[in-house]
Structures are given as C-alpha cells and as structure tokens.
Amino acid sequence: MSYVEFKNVSKTYKTGDVSVEALKDASFEIGKGEICVIVGQSGAGKTTLLNILGGMDRLTEGEVYLDGTAVSDYNKKQLATYRRRDIGFVFQFYNLIPNLTALENVEIASQLSKDPMNPSEVLAHVGLEERMNNFPAQLSGGEQQRVAIARALITKPKLVFADEPTGNLDSVSSAEVLSFLKRSVNELDQTIIMVTHDAVAASYADRALVFADGQIVADVNKPTADQMSELLMKE
C-alpha cells in the first residue's frame, strides 16, 4: 500500500485575469520508508507539490493522501495540527537559533510533540554526541545541517521534507548529511521527500520524480548519479 499518494492533482494560481497552472494532473505514489527525490527546473512545480503535501497550500483539483488519510480534505485547524505533528522540515539554510546550543535547538522542536524522541539520543543518531553543547557558530556547515536533521526527526514525523539539504555544503559534508538521512530511513523507519538539483544527492534516493511544466516527465527507480545528470541536463 502506498504511503504518500497524489491522485490527479492540479493547482492553478490566479492573479486578476491571468491563470498559471503550477501542477497539471500530477499522480504518483511513494512507499513508506523510501527516500524520494523531486527534481526539475525552477517553475517546474516542485515547491507547489511540497506546499500542498505539507499542508501549506490547497490544491485546485485532485486528492492527496498520507498514511491512508485524505490530507486534501483537512480544514485549517486540522492542517495546522498536521504541519506541527506529521511533517518535519530540513532546509538548505539551517535556520538554527544562534544563541542556543545544538541540544537546545533540538529541545525546542521537541515541545511540538506529545511523544518526542529523546533530544540527546537523536543528536547521537546523527553523530553529534560530542557536539551537543556547542553553539551553531562553533559547528561546521555539515554539523549544523545534522542538527537541523535531528530537529526535524525529534517529533517522530510521518514525513520529512528536505529542501536542497546539501545546497550549501561541500562534497564531503554533503556525503555525511546524505548518509545520515539514509540512515534515518533505515533505522527510524522515516519517509523522506527531498528536492535537489544535485545529481549525486539524487543517487542516494530510492526513487526520483522529474518534473517539468507541472507534470511528471520521468519516474526513476534506484537512480544513479549519471542517470540524474543526464535527466537534469535535459531539463
């Protein structure tokens, strides 16, 4: 059974007499415990897809399901609870609070959940057991991103969004961050949707969905870096 399901989803934005179709009859499924990457040029529909699945925007037509529940039917109050409890976010820019330690940054996020994971254990999971009491400025870019991953995981979300998580990192730090995301899937039974322009990052995924003009133009299982480079060049 699919864990994430988009059924014939369309999204049209209107400004005056101008209409823009950001998504056009998009359908796909993602299994529980998968890493799925979303790739495509700016304006392809990636952000709209994440905003709809993350409960931050409404679709125009179609249905969206997460774990068998129709997210597309939620009202405003339900969407707010859904965003807080069921979705974790990892951004390109880490968005850590600079005057709090790594541990404190994760502890704050844990307050959003009724049954959070142990902050120290999550930081140890991402390899930062020796850096918990350091402030963000005392951490490398890769370490800060790992704190951000721990913060996203602390609430035991059903789904983690990673938006260009390696876009601000060198190749070594990128590999470390991607390895920890992969480990989270394997050990914590997470499901991750990652937006990236990096062919190497995409190769860590179980599947890749390539978007163009609001539609899926390719669905690749177990993508390789070479495959993704070729697809990205076409886009």
Side-chain angles (χ1 to χ4, degrees):
M1 181 179 175
S2 59
Y3 194 60
V4 175
E5 189 172 5
F6 261 49
K7 286 186 174 182
N8 308 110
V9 174
S10 296
K11 175 64 181 180
T12 302
Y13 294 101
K14 292 186 178 181
T15 304
D17 294 330
V18 179
S19 296
V20 177
E21 286 187 284
L23 287 177
K24 304 172 186 176
D25 199 31
S27 295
F28 63 87
E29 298 178 2
I30 299 172
K32 185 172 175 59
E34 281 190 343
I35 297 178
C36 179
V37 294
I38 309 293
V39 299
Q41 297 291 342
S42 296
K46 306 185 304 296
T47 300
T48 301
L49 181 154
L50 289 186
N51 286 345
I52 290 173
L53 184 54
M56 295 171 284
D57 203 353
R58 295 256 186 203
L59 49 74
T60 304
E61 294 180 3
E63 299 170 289
V64 174
Y65 293 86
L66 175 60
D67 195 17
T69 300
V71 176
S72 48
D73 289 343
Y74 281 168
N75 59 34
K76 286 185 177 180
K77 184 176 180 181
Q78 289 171 316
L79 284 173
T81 301
Y82 167 74
R83 288 192 297 267
R84 187 169 63 248
R85 295 182 180 173
D86 292 343
I87 305 294
F89 294 93
V90 180
F91 303 97
Q92 177 177 352
F93 301 100
Y94 327 117
N95 295 332
L96 301 179
I97 300 172
N99 60 340
L100 297 182
T101 65
L103 182 61
E104 289 167 339
N105 266 281
V106 176
E107 285 175 337
I108 279 187
S110 72
Q111 296 171 15
L112 296 174
S113 174
K114 293 181 178 179
D115 182 31
M117 298 173 67
N118 181 286
S120 298
E121 290 179 3
V122 181
L123 281 167
H125 170 78
V126 296
L128 292 176
E129 56 266 61
E130 303 297 327
R131 307 286 274 165
M132 293 184 192
N133 295 315
N134 289 79
F135 293 96
Q138 299 171 314
L139 302 173
S140 69
E143 288 171 334
Q144 289 185 63
Q145 190 60 295
R146 283 189 269 157
V147 175
I149 292 171
R151 181 182 59 192
L153 296 174
I154 191 73
T155 60
K156 301 179 184 176
K158 291 183 175 181
L159 189 62
V160 176
F161 290 154
D163 191 359
E164 297 285 2
T166 61
N168 207 32
L169 302 175
D170 59 40
S171 59
V172 174
S173 297
S174 293
E176 290 178 353
V177 165
L178 291 165
S179 293
F180 282 112
L181 283 173
K182 191 102 175 172
R183 179 177 166 186
S184 297
V185 166
N186 294 332
E187 296 183 4
L188 302 179
D189 199 25
Q190 289 292 342
T191 303
I192 296 174
I193 295 181
M194 177 169 60
V195 170
T196 185
H197 288 91
D198 183 349
V200 174
S203 70
Y204 279 75
D206 299 296
R207 287 179 59 213
L209 299 176
V210 183
F211 271 75
D213 298 322
Q215 297 176 306
I216 298 171
V217 296
D219 185 342
V220 184
N221 283 314
K222 301 294 182 183
T224 66
D226 288 341
Q227 278 179 310
M228 296 313 301
S229 292
E230 185 176 345
L231 286 167
L232 288 167
M233 285 178 65
K234 288 180 181 178
E235 293 303 309

